[in-house]
């Protein structure tokens, strides 16, 4: 089973968090319905236990904080919204964790401006 860690940074686009989570878990549901094993262990991960997005309109409750994730197979970074310099500054604590996971063999994928 592949471990998928979907990062939930401050200033991220809500749909860029929710859609990948939905995609990976839906694949698992289809596989299970077909009598097969799930392929993905999907978790929302972040610096804080709760991340408010869209000026507080949405709250995302993560499954595990970054410090609790020792190894993952895929780090998924969602698109960011707004002032990119400010967004990167708000999430600078995540950068060493992303690099650490990459150095441990994880693939790193991002959507659009999440690649900055």
């Amino acid at each position: 089973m592949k471990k998928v860690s979907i990062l939930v940074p401050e200033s991220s686009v809500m749909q860029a968090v929710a859609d990948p989570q939905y995609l990976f878990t839906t694949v698992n549901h289809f596989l299970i319905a077909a009598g097969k094993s799930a392929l993905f262990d999907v978790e929302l991960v972040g610096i804080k236990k709760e991340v408010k997005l869209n000026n507080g309109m949405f709250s995302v409750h993560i499954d595990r904080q970054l410090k609790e994730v020792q190894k993952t197979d895929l780090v998924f970074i969602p698109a960011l919204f707004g002032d990119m310099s400010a967004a990167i500054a708000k999430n600078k604590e995540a950068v060493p964790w992303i690099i650490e996971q990459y150095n441990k063999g994880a693939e790193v994928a991002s959507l659009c401006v999440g690649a900055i």
Side-chain angles (χ1 to χ4, degrees):
M1 182 172 295
K2 295 288 184 185
K3 183 160 200 67
V4 177
S5 298
I6 300 172
L7 185 63
V8 185
E10 298 282 336
S11 302
S12 57
V13 175
M14 180 65 212
Q15 293 79 358
V17 173
D19 289 352
Q21 189 273 342
Y22 179 76
L23 174 100
F24 287 111
T25 56
T26 300
V27 168
N28 282 344
H29 291 299
F30 283 135
L31 289 168
I32 291 167
K36 299 178 181 180
S37 298
L39 285 179
F40 306 107
D41 176 13
V42 183
E43 290 186 323
L44 299 177
V45 301
I47 298 166
K48 300 187 299 186
K49 292 184 181 206
E50 179 184 16
V51 180
K52 294 186 179 187
L53 302 176
N54 290 24
N55 295 319
M57 185 178 295
F58 299 103
S59 291
V60 179
H61 299 270
I62 65 162
D63 298 307
R64 291 202 295 161
Q65 289 183 277
L66 298 182
K67 62 186 174 187
E68 299 173 304
V69 180
Q70 298 303 311
K71 180 135 176 43
T72 190
D73 295 304
L74 173 63
V75 175
F76 193 92
I77 305 169
L80 300 174
F81 179 76
D83 179 341
M84 290 301 121
S85 296
I88 291 167
K90 288 180 188 177
N91 297 289
K92 66 183 177 191
E93 292 177 52
V95 174
W97 179 84
I98 295 167
I99 293 168
E100 175 188 359
Q101 294 306 312
Y102 176 79
N103 288 336
K104 289 180 176 179
E107 297 289 333
V108 178
S110 67
L111 286 175
C112 196
V113 292
I116 289 179

